[in-house]
Amino acid sequence: GESVGLHLPTLSVQEGDNSIINCAYSNSASDYFIWYKQESGKGPQFIIDIRSNMDKRQGQRVTVLLNKTVKHLSLQIAATQPGDSAVYFCAENMNYGGSQGNLIFGKGTKLSVKP
Amino acid sequence: DAMVIQNPRYQVTQFGKPVTLSCSQTLNHNVMYWYQQKSSQAPKLLFHYYDKDFNNEADTPDNFQSRRPNTSFCFLDIRSPGLGDAAMYLCATSRDLVAETQYFGPGTRLLVL
């Protein structure tokens, strides 16, 4: 089946370093992607999104890169802080067939920031 | 200025005793979703409403039902909770179905005794 997955289940970084979280997706027809941050006991929080007509999008301290050729998505966090510690999910928005509107989540990467 | 509100945040129920979880939104979004999330797993979509149009995922058990009496509120009814239904239940909303960000509530943690 088609799915969105993550290369690394856990990532540990030093405070102040940059973090890169990767995600592979398998459906070339998907045209919208979202990164969510989920802290323990809370709901997923929107971080940044990107549409398939873009390769890169920047937010505050975060950048999302989309490589459609290899179906790869990454989230870069600059100057990682302890407050960035959380599980990060990539999600693919299905826009075809009978599943319009469904978000397909990757497995999640747990980011731990060491002080 | 909470946008997606879920009550209660924690719910304890007994095996087989019906339980209702609630969600409300101040965004006036057309679409409301219910997800189930178990520990260390990604959220799994149960169903969604586009306005009053209900869309059930094929693998959502019949034990799970939903109601949307108006734009702002959506309820998740679990008719006979089993131990395997203990999870975090997340409500989300989006303006439309296609290529739209979904905004999540804080979730309700359900414990089944």
Side-chain angles (χ1 to χ4, degrees):
Chain A
E2 294 157 338
S3 64
V4 177
L6 290 173
H7 295 301
L8 298 173
T10 60
L11 178 64
S12 183
V13 300
Q14 202 71 37
E15 181 179 359
D17 288 351
N18 297 334
S19 303
I20 300 176
I21 302 171
N22 295 302
C23 177
Y25 65 96
S26 57
N27 197 315
S28 57
S30 294
D31 58 4
Y32 181 59
F33 305 88
I34 308 170
W35 279 101
Y36 286 97
K37 172 187 179 183
Q38 188 173 26
E39 297 175 274
S40 181
K42 297 183 179 180
Q45 176 188 357
F46 170 85
I47 300 174
I48 193 167
D49 59 359
I50 189 167
R51 301 184 189 275
S52 59
N53 60 352
M54 302 172 69
D55 297 322
K56 178 180 180 179
R57 190 158 189 233
Q58 288 184 293
Q60 188 177 14
R61 281 200 308 119
V62 294
T63 301
V64 55
L65 299 177
L66 176 62
N67 186 330
K68 294 180 286 294
T69 302
V70 295
K71 290 184 280 189
H72 184 266
L73 194 67
S74 69
L75 177 70
Q76 300 178 1
I77 304 174
T80 313
Q81 302 169 0
D84 295 327
S85 295
V87 176
Y88 289 81
F89 291 99
C90 62
E92 167 190 17
N93 188 231
M94 298 178 66
N95 181 24
Y96 50 88
S99 300
Q100 281 190 335
N102 286 7
L103 269 184
I104 303 299
F105 283 83
K107 293 181 181 178
T109 292
K110 184 176 181 180
L111 176 65
S112 296
V113 182
K114 296 177 288 186
Chain B
D1 54 340
M3 297 181 290
V4 183
I5 303 158
Q6 290 189 245
N7 285 305
R9 295 294 312 278
Y10 300 91
Q11 176 73 56
V12 181
T13 190
Q14 293 178 330
F15 182 92
K17 185 175 180 180
V19 66
T20 294
L21 310 181
S22 72
C23 177
S24 63
Q25 55 134 338
T26 60
L27 296 164
N28 202 33
H29 281 173
N30 290 313
V31 194
M32 295 187 77
Y33 308 80
W34 279 104
Y35 288 84
Q36 179 192 65
Q37 186 179 27
K38 297 192 174 180
S39 181
S40 300
Q41 296 184 19
K44 178 182 180 296
L45 181 66
L46 296 173
F47 26 59
H48 74 266
Y49 272 97
Y50 185 93
D51 195 13
K52 296 180 181 179
D53 183 22
F54 178 71
N55 294 272
N56 196 37
E57 290 302 292
D59 58 354
T60 298
D62 292 340
N63 197 27
F64 292 88
Q65 303 288 321
S66 187
R67 296 170 284 135
R68 189 179 185 186
N70 54 52
T71 300
S72 300
F73 286 86
C74 194
F75 300 99
L76 170 62
D77 301 309
I78 308 177
R79 294 193 294 190
S80 181
L83 298 179
D85 296 327
M88 173 78 90
Y89 289 89
L90 296 163
C91 175
T93 75
S94 65
R95 185 172 52 185
D96 208 328
L97 275 175
V98 176
E100 290 282 347
T101 303
Q102 291 185 19
Y103 296 93
F104 285 81
T108 293
R109 173 76 64 186
L110 178 68
L111 180 62
V112 182
L113 301 178

